[in-house]
Amino acid sequence: MPELPEVTTTTMGLQKVLPGLVISDIWTDLAKKDQHYKQFIGTIKELKFFTKFKKELIGQKIINVERRAKNILIHTSRGQTILIHLKMTGHLLYGKYLFIKKDNKWNPVEGERSSLFEPFNRFIHVVFTFSNKTHLAFCDSRKFGKVTMLKSNTINQSSHLKDLGPEPLEKSFTLDKFVNQLLTKPKAKIKTVLMDQKIIAGIGNIYSDEMLWLSQIDPESIVGHIPPKKLKLLFNEMKDILKKGIDLGGDSMSDYRNIDGEKGHFQKNHNVYQRKNKPCSRKGCRGVIIRKVIGSRSSHYCNICQKLF
């Protein structure tokens, strides 16, 4: 699942190309008349909602794009915000597309950059058409992604955002606030707490594994048992690794691509994530990277240099 660095990379890309454009059409093949899944009600996967979504957004100008946790927020001129959550396999692509009626699908037009034609970029399920004849396409092979519409002035009170924790890269998120957030679950395992979006927003499997390795903390360590010096180190490594992820354009070990259809490069810098059975890269450590399921999520860590507290 795309995490804070991937969603930030996407948001920065969209902020460069979308403001000022007017939505002229919206297409999806996800909308169903009889939607039985509760989590899809109030999203474009519900036909009734999509009809309203399309009617209200066509003709609106894009004002700006921002990120909150793992959500992309596209604000429009009439006080509506398009909220997009990429979920497991989603990513957004910007360019010119052509609708192939007989196949009911969209393909990049000839002459577009070659990266848009990559196999990972062919699962197009939502397309926004703009006044300059360009398109924003939502590619999502597993169709878990979420697209909905909210009133901009109440978006932070919506069910999508109201329970989210603080942003880890904000200057106001200090060491004291970090420790206080973690200690709201003192008896829980640190790996699980770091990934809890109500505690800290935006961290997932990849970056939690990496920051714990850098801090030499076993992911099964109990939050309340971790020494203050280690928590300070974890705080600093969290900031650094998330910034590094952004600088490298995100992680494309799996499906993620930026709006140009290109891979990020963070996957070339993994210390532990997806390195099961490989030797630990820490100088002088003879450990081996192991994979273990913790709280229903996989975790990768060194069996020697990461200490259990």
Side-chain angles (χ1 to χ4, degrees), residues 23 53 58 87 94 103 108 120 127 157 187 209 220 222 238 255 263-264 272:
I23 300 170
F53 180 89
I58 287 178
K87 296 292 184 179
Y94 179 77
D103 299 322
F120 270 104
V127 175
Q157 288 75 53
K187 297 180 180 180
D209 278 356
E220 291 196 285
I222 302 303
M238 173 194 70
D255 302 66
K263 291 182 179 181
V272 284

Side-chain angles (χ1 to χ4, degrees), residues 46-273:
E46 179 190 14
L47 183 58
K48 182 179 178 181
F49 181 86
F50 175 67
T51 302
K52 176 184 177 183
F53 180 89
K54 184 174 180 178
K55 181 179 179 181
E56 293 195 15
L57 288 173
I58 287 178
Q60 293 207 40
K61 181 186 294 185
I62 305 299
I63 302 301
N64 69 301
V65 187
E66 63 176 335
R67 178 193 60 80
R68 177 67 173 107
K70 299 178 184 179
N71 300 282
I72 296 164
L73 308 174
I74 302 174
H75 302 299
T76 66
S77 54
R78 292 189 214 136
Q80 302 281 23
T81 293
I82 302 164
L83 181 149
I84 300 174
H85 196 301
L86 304 176
K87 296 292 184 179
M88 292 294 293
T89 59
H91 57 275
L92 290 165
L93 302 163
Y94 179 77
K96 291 186 177 181
Y97 283 77
L98 179 67
F99 182 65
I100 311 301
K101 190 171 183 180
K102 66 174 183 177
D103 299 322
N104 193 40
K105 68 177 185 179
W106 292 77
N107 287 335
V109 300
E110 283 189 34
E112 273 293 350
R113 50 198 177 278
S114 59
S115 54
L116 291 181
F117 292 84
E118 187 197 293
F120 270 104
N121 295 332
R122 69 183 186 273
F123 305 101
I124 305 300
H125 294 294
V126 186
V127 175
F128 294 84
T129 301
F130 298 108
S131 50
N132 65 349
K133 308 302 180 184
T134 62
H135 300 91
L136 178 64
F138 187 21
C139 177
D140 188 7
S141 61
R142 298 185 68 179
K143 302 182 185 180
F144 290 157
K146 175 172 65 178
V147 182
T148 188
M149 175 180 63
L150 306 165
K151 291 183 178 180
S152 302
N153 60 358
T154 60
I155 191 168
N156 289 319
Q157 288 75 53
S158 72
S159 60
H160 305 277
L161 303 182
K162 67 177 182 178
D163 295 324
L164 290 172
E167 292 287 337
L169 292 182
E170 286 188 351
K171 290 184 179 180
S172 60
F173 191 58
T174 62
L175 173 61
D176 286 343
K177 290 182 179 180
F178 172 71
V179 172
N180 288 336
Q181 285 297 105
L182 296 184
L183 289 176
T184 58
K185 293 194 174 181
K187 297 180 180 180
K189 296 175 180 179
I190 185 62
K191 164 78 174 187
T192 304
V193 174
L194 286 172
M195 293 178 60
D196 188 335
Q197 299 303 294
K198 294 181 180 180
I199 303 297
I200 303 173
I203 299 172
N205 252 354
I206 299 172
Y207 297 94
S208 60
D209 278 356
E210 295 297 318
M211 64 183 69
L212 287 169
W213 181 84
L214 289 164
S215 308
Q216 295 184 257
I217 299 172
D218 187 299
E220 291 196 285
S221 295
I222 302 303
V223 170
H225 296 173
I226 301 174
K229 286 186 177 181
K230 280 291 183 182
L231 289 178
K232 182 178 181 179
L233 179 59
L234 178 60
F235 173 75
N236 291 330
E237 297 295 1
M238 173 194 70
K239 296 265 190 181
D240 288 346
I241 203 68
L242 292 174
K243 290 176 183 176
K244 183 176 182 179
I246 294 170
D247 290 342
L248 291 172
D251 191 294
S252 294
M253 174 67 79
S254 184
D255 302 66
Y256 176 74
R257 302 293 185 270
N258 65 22
I259 68 166
D260 294 315
E262 300 167 343
K263 291 182 179 181
H265 300 286
F266 186 78
Q267 68 276 7
K268 300 174 184 177
N269 292 265
H270 290 172
N271 293 298
V272 284
Y273 185 72

